[in-house]
Amino acid sequence: MPIDPVCGMELSPSDAVATVQHGRTTYYFCSEECQQRFEEQPTIYTE
């Protein structure tokens, strides 16, 4: 199961509110807020 990289919540892809493709990876998010935080500074959550 994917984990929201911002808040650490485990969620199934079908439950994700949003997704973002970064590099070769698709990230799944529990909320639009988490998605926005990720998009503002993706390197904080991917390194």
Side-chain angles (χ1 to χ4, degrees):
M1 291 249 275
I3 296 176
D4 182 320
V6 176
C7 69
M9 181 179 184
E10 189 175 290
L11 61 153
S12 69
S14 62
D15 290 336
V17 172
T19 61
V20 171
Q21 185 76 27
H22 181 74
R24 296 182 181 173
T25 305
T26 300
Y27 294 93
Y28 297 86
F29 300 92
C30 68
S31 68
E32 289 180 7
E33 180 182 335
C34 283
Q35 175 197 8
Q36 289 170 351
R37 290 177 65 190
F38 179 87
E39 289 181 321
E40 288 171 1
Q41 295 182 310
T43 55
I44 290 175
Y45 305 104
T46 58
E47 294 181 350

